[in-house]
């Protein structure tokens, strides 16, 4: 365990406004018993504050077919698991990523592991994503079906039965294929009216052209 620095924010119970639940406190003066201030009510009090030891965790960040490796500081005793999301600060950008693989040795992967036992964490960017969309022509000629990629925020909602506009094109969503690392969905493929998948969880979207029988570029 280590002591916090002045200005750090830590979760602590507040004797004034929240004695039973932690609130965010700012460390005013570090020490054996740090002087802290509750950011909710402004109460200043002294508390023993210890931060868990952190180590650098190797993280591979993938997006649109390319990958970059970086180090992320994390508590050594913390447990990580497939599907969890966290912020990564790379030279390119600050991005939200989801864990897709945990390598604990050269030949072994795990669904969850402690940070100190992890060799490499594999992730993909989920705050802005490219989604593969298969569009069937309006007249039903399957040989004219094509696939395109649309770039949308990760929390964008694709809903079966709804009409989407991409550039000059309008399509009606007919089916949604869910990624294997996506949590809390009933099935791998959804095709009932009202079924919804967030863009970051969508492996592929099936849609029907609603504009014309002629294609135009997005």
């Amino acid at each position: 365990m280590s002591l916090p620095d002045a200005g750090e924010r830590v979760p602590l119970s507040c004797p004034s406004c929240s004695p039973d639940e932690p609130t965010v406190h700012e460390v005013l003066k570090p020490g054996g018993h740090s002087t802290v201030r509750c950011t909710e009510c402004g109460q200043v009090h002294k508390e023993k504050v210890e931060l868990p030891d952190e180590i650098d965790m190797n993280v591979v960040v993938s997006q649109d077919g390319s990958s970059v490796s970086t180090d992320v500081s994390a508590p050594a005793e913390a447990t990580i698991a497939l599907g969890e999301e966290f912020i990564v600060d790379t030279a390119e950008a600050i991005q939200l990523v989801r864990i897709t693989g945990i390598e604990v040795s050269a030949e072994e992967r795990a669904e969850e592991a402690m940070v100190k036992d992890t060799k490499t964490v594999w992730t993909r960017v989920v705050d802005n994503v490219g989604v593969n969309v298969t569009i069937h022509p309006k007249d039903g000629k399957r040989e004219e079906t094509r696939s395109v990629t649309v770039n949308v925020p990760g929390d964008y909602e694709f809903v079966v039965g709804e009409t989407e506009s991409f550039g000059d094109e309008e399509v009606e969503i007919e089916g949604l294929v869910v990624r294997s690392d996506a949590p809390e969905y009933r099935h791998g493929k959804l095709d009932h009216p009202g079924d919804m998948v967030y863009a970051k969880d969508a492996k592929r979207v099936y849609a029907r052209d609603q504009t014309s029988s002629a294609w135009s570029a997005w």
Side-chain angles (χ1 to χ4, degrees), residues 11-23 25 38 40-41 43 45 47:
L12 296 169
S13 59
C14 175
S16 177
C17 72
S18 184
D20 298 321
E21 295 291 334
T23 62
H25 282 64
C38 176
E40 294 291 330
C41 69
Q43 171 76 21
H45 55 106
E47 292 288 344

Side-chain angles (χ1 to χ4, degrees), residues 55-57 74-80 113-119:
I55 60 175
D56 285 340
M57 180 173 64
E77 301 292 329
T79 298
I80 57 173
M114 297 183 71
V115 170
K116 66 179 182 180
D117 298 327
T118 300
K119 182 179 179 182

Side-chain angles (χ1 to χ4, degrees), residues 58 127 152 161:
N58 179 241
D127 49 3
V152 291

Side-chain angles (χ1 to χ4, degrees), residues 71-192:
D71 288 332
V72 174
S73 182
E77 301 292 329
T79 298
I80 57 173
L82 295 180
E84 291 182 345
E85 298 177 1
F86 61 94
I87 298 293
V88 171
D89 188 354
T90 67
E92 288 74 20
I94 298 176
Q95 298 170 303
L96 179 66
V97 301
R98 174 182 292 170
I99 298 176
T100 58
I102 301 173
E103 185 178 331
V104 295
S105 70
E107 299 180 352
E108 183 181 359
R109 293 203 175 195
E111 293 189 358
E112 66 175 34
M114 297 183 71
V115 170
K116 66 179 182 180
D117 298 327
T118 300
K119 182 179 179 182
T120 302
V121 178
W122 302 84
T123 69
R124 65 178 177 89
V125 175
V126 293
D127 49 3
N128 289 286
V129 297
V131 179
N132 295 320
V133 182
T134 296
I135 305 176
H136 300 304
K138 193 173 184 179
D139 59 13
K141 292 182 180 179
R142 185 166 293 275
E143 62 269 24
E144 295 183 12
T145 294
R146 71 167 186 168
S147 292
V148 297
T149 300
V150 296
N151 295 299
V152 291
D155 59 0
Y156 190 89
E157 298 180 1
F158 287 103
V159 181
V160 174
E162 290 194 358
T163 299
E164 297 282 353
S165 296
F166 300 107
D168 296 330
E169 302 286 353
E170 282 194 354
V171 299
E172 180 180 336
I173 306 301
E174 295 185 328
L176 306 162
V177 179
V178 183
R179 286 181 174 271
S180 59
D181 62 11
E184 300 176 358
Y185 290 93
R186 299 194 316 274
H187 307 290
K189 184 175 181 181
L190 306 175
D191 54 12
H192 292 91

